[in-house]
Amino acid sequence: MNAFQIALLLYAVIIAAGGVMGYVAAQSVVSLVNGLVAAVILLVGLAISFKNPTAGFGLSAVVALALAAFFAYRFFTTGKWMPGGITMILSAIAFVLMLLAALRTR
């Protein structure tokens, strides 16, 4: 496992935990489902990255970009750092890392 794969695994775990936290804090089933679905897709990207790093990290970069855009919208409409701002920044960092990983393996 390389550093990019470890970062992807940690990001997937954090996204899943965020979905669970959204459910526990606000009884938001939507947060739970979306967080777990996003985490599963990220884990699929991780699994793919072992055989085809470009495709695996590319898939993960798309998910991270989508999450960054969604949480940027939430942050700028609510002004709240939690979960919008923090997850926006985390997802933007994950997007850059996954993009670098995908381009590096070409």
Side-chain angles (χ1 to χ4, degrees), residues 3-59:
F4 291 113
Q5 290 166 327
I6 293 169
L8 178 52
L9 177 61
L10 290 173
Y11 178 59
V13 168
I14 290 168
I15 293 300
V20 171
M21 284 175 38
Y23 178 74
V24 169
Q27 298 301 306
S28 173
V29 175
V30 173
S31 292
L32 178 64
V33 171
N34 288 339
L36 294 179
V37 167
V40 166
I41 296 170
L42 290 167
L43 291 173
V44 168
L46 175 64
I48 293 170
S49 76
F50 287 102
K51 296 226 185 224
N52 186 345
T54 302
F57 290 126
L59 172 64

